[in-house]
Amino acid sequence: MIEFIQQTVTGLMTGSLYALVAAGIVLVYKSTHVVSLAHGQLVAFGALFFWLFLSGFGLPFWVGLIPAFILTALLGLAIERVALRPLIGQPLLAAFLMTFAIFIALEGVFVLYLKGETRTLPHFLPGGNLALSGLSIPINQLIGFCVALLLFGLLSLIFKYTKLGLGMRATAEDHRLAQSTGIVVKNIFSYIWILSGIVAAIAGIATANVMDIYYMLPYIGINGLIVAICGGLDSLAGALVVGLLLGVVENVGAAYLDPLVGGGIKDVAGYAVLLLVLLIRPYGLFGLVKIERI
């Protein structure tokens, strides 16, 4: 039993990373209705910027965070201004395909910079494990888990109680109606991509803290996309719950089924969960069902 609980707790730690990645995708979709495939690249560049300021320039942890957040936010803003804003008024499929093109372009820059090498973040969090009733919990992953919960709480407060959040919700409902009430929709789009960039930087740093920065890092965006779709693309709560759930399913499944099937459960668990959820609830577990009256 203790082994099962250990695998579950470890899965929750991993799932919080997926939830963080999914949060940025949900933020963009809630206001623009665009499913961004480029978010994994924002996550990877956020981690890379942080590594650059920590290892390259030798800045302290708290000082290195600020330029990493700023650069990732500017990258998000550049994507919105240069690539997506000209597509306003065009079919959403065009914007979706544009995010795929951005993913490919940034993938080339990321791989070109790394040159096949791996970058490791210096230890900036307390190390060791926390022993609790027979469980062993890595302290750095526990901190990342707590950061994820705090971030989701903060994003929920922003959406519910701030003027910016109100503008985002109004824009998500109807762009033209929001524009008629005085909300500058284009500015809302810019703000949401900036916020999404900062969230991506946090997700990238948290992810790079447990895995190195290498050419596969951007593909954690695929896990985030699976979580966002399963949770409901317009639901932050869904991203958190499904992210944690997917982490547990992957970890427990790998622990008990890998010895039977020879491995690979972690690689397919996410796609199996996605297929199952879409068969039961096409709008995601927490997504709003769209009803159109004719």
Side-chain angles (χ1 to χ4, degrees), residues 13-25 39-48 50 65 69 72 121 124 144 147-148 151-152 195-211 213 217 220-221 224:
M13 303 292 118
T14 305
S16 66
L17 299 179
Y18 297 157
L20 275 176
V21 178
I25 298 172
H39 193 71
Q41 296 294 353
L42 283 178
V43 171
F45 273 92
L48 188 61
F50 184 62
L65 280 177
F69 286 169
T72 315
L121 284 179
F124 58 90
V147 168
L151 183 66
F152 271 90
L195 185 58
S196 176
I198 295 173
V199 172
I202 295 172
I205 294 168
T207 305
N209 185 45
V210 295
M211 60 184 287
I213 302 172
L217 181 57
I220 196 173

Side-chain angles (χ1 to χ4, degrees), residues 20-202:
L20 275 176
V21 178
I25 298 172
V26 170
L27 284 175
V28 171
Y29 182 83
K30 277 178 77 74
S31 296
T32 66
H33 289 177
V34 173
V35 180
S36 174
L37 295 179
H39 193 71
Q41 296 294 353
L42 283 178
V43 171
F45 273 92
L48 188 61
F49 290 145
F50 184 62
W51 172 85
L52 187 64
F53 287 108
L54 234 64
S55 296
F57 300 134
L59 296 181
F61 166 66
W62 292 108
V63 181
L65 280 177
I66 298 172
F69 286 169
I70 292 174
L71 287 179
T72 315
L74 289 176
L75 183 58
L77 181 63
I79 291 173
E80 191 275 327
R81 286 291 178 90
V82 176
L84 295 178
R85 182 165 293 192
L87 297 179
I88 291 178
Q90 300 298 319
L92 287 175
L93 179 62
F96 175 74
L97 294 177
M98 178 59 79
T99 64
F100 178 67
I102 295 167
F103 175 89
I104 298 298
L106 292 180
E107 167 83 0
V109 177
F110 189 72
V111 172
L112 190 64
Y113 181 82
L114 289 180
K115 294 182 174 61
E117 298 176 354
T118 298
R119 304 287 191 272
T120 302
L121 284 179
H123 296 292
F124 58 90
L125 293 177
N129 294 331
L130 177 67
L132 183 65
S133 301
L135 301 176
S136 178
I137 306 172
I139 294 176
N140 60 348
Q141 292 187 31
L142 181 61
I143 293 174
F145 177 78
C146 294
V147 168
L149 296 184
L150 287 173
L151 183 66
F152 271 90
L154 181 61
L155 290 175
S156 297
L157 291 176
I158 290 175
F159 265 94
K160 285 185 179 178
Y161 299 111
T162 67
K163 187 176 180 180
L164 174 62
L166 180 63
M168 290 176 180
R169 283 189 288 152
T171 305
E173 288 295 323
D174 191 302
H175 293 176
R176 291 182 180 176
L177 188 60
Q179 191 84 33
S180 68
T181 61
I183 296 172
V184 183
V185 173
K186 290 181 178 178
N187 288 349
I188 293 294
F189 287 175
S190 298
Y191 296 147
I192 202 69
W193 275 93
I194 290 172
L195 185 58
S196 176
I198 295 173
V199 172
I202 295 172

